[in-house]
Amino acid sequence: MSGVGPKEQLVSLKKSLTRSLDESGEQRVLDCQSACSSVLHWISYIRGSELSGNCDNLVDALQGGAIETAGCIAMGLVRPALFSLRSQIDLAVAWLFYKDHPVEWESVVRTGEGFLLKRDVFEHFSKYRNQFSPRLELLDKHKNRKLSDPYRVLSAHIHGQSSLVVPKFRKLHELIYPASRCDEAVKLQAEVAEYISDIFLAYFGDKWASLPSEVIASVQLRVPADKLLALFS
């Protein structure tokens, strides 16, 4: 790592971690909770209306991913938070597919192979759920988030696709990011939450009357009134 011994580095890491938690930890957790509120509303709805008895643990894992993200950001561990953020999207999309495909899910659980990621699931939905793609395109056109697809940005970090996103740590305490980067991570949680919410809405749009009122109210602020009928049909 560096010329500094592990004991000294651990002392410095502990100080940086404690400082991050003491100065901003509680507020960052609250900010993350607010940023992912739409996903939490969807989780409540799914548990009350949409569980199929198959791969229901993925819904629990989605909530766990949100908690993991908040904890990482509170500690200043931004890079691990990026992994948790992408996992939220993977888990949400996987649940949508596997809830209706018990044979495929049993195979994934048994063999550890064949787990479909976002691109494959989206291709399936485009082919077999006629309104999924048009709804998602409409929501993307009237998005609040800056990123059309946060998954691509998160994947670039995870796969180290450029020199801008690879880890450059030299000492342990550098794992704890400065406040400005933690704030950026909270904003990215909001981007991911809106993206997941839009995916759920594209899938469940025909059930709009029973969907979370908070989600519907948010969409009504984004999407012009004359487009809402197409979204919820």
Side-chain angles (χ1 to χ4, degrees), residues 185-231:
V186 173
K187 292 178 181 178
L188 190 52
Q189 170 65 91
E191 299 255 312
V192 167
E194 184 183 278
Y195 185 57
I196 292 173
S197 183
D198 283 357
I199 293 170
F200 282 146
L201 192 56
Y203 187 94
F204 290 115
D206 56 330
K207 299 183 178 182
W208 67 271
S210 64
L211 298 182
S213 58
E214 296 87 355
V215 172
I216 298 301
S218 175
V219 171
Q220 288 173 331
L221 293 175
R222 291 165 47 195
V223 180
D226 62 333
K227 303 292 185 181
L228 286 173
L229 182 61
L231 183 62

Side-chain angles (χ1 to χ4, degrees), residues 134-179:
R135 286 174 184 154
L136 198 57
E137 290 173 6
L138 177 61
L139 289 164
D140 180 65
K141 184 178 180 180
H142 300 285
K143 62 185 179 296
N144 283 330
R145 63 186 184 275
K146 294 181 179 180
L147 300 171
S148 178
D149 185 354
Y151 192 84
R152 295 181 62 185
V153 173
L154 293 167
S155 296
H157 281 272
I158 289 169
H159 297 303
Q161 293 175 358
S162 80
S163 61
L164 296 176
V165 295
V166 295
K168 301 175 182 178
F169 309 120
R170 295 294 180 268
K171 298 179 182 178
L172 289 178
H173 74 87
E174 294 173 358
L175 296 172
I176 311 302
Y177 279 68

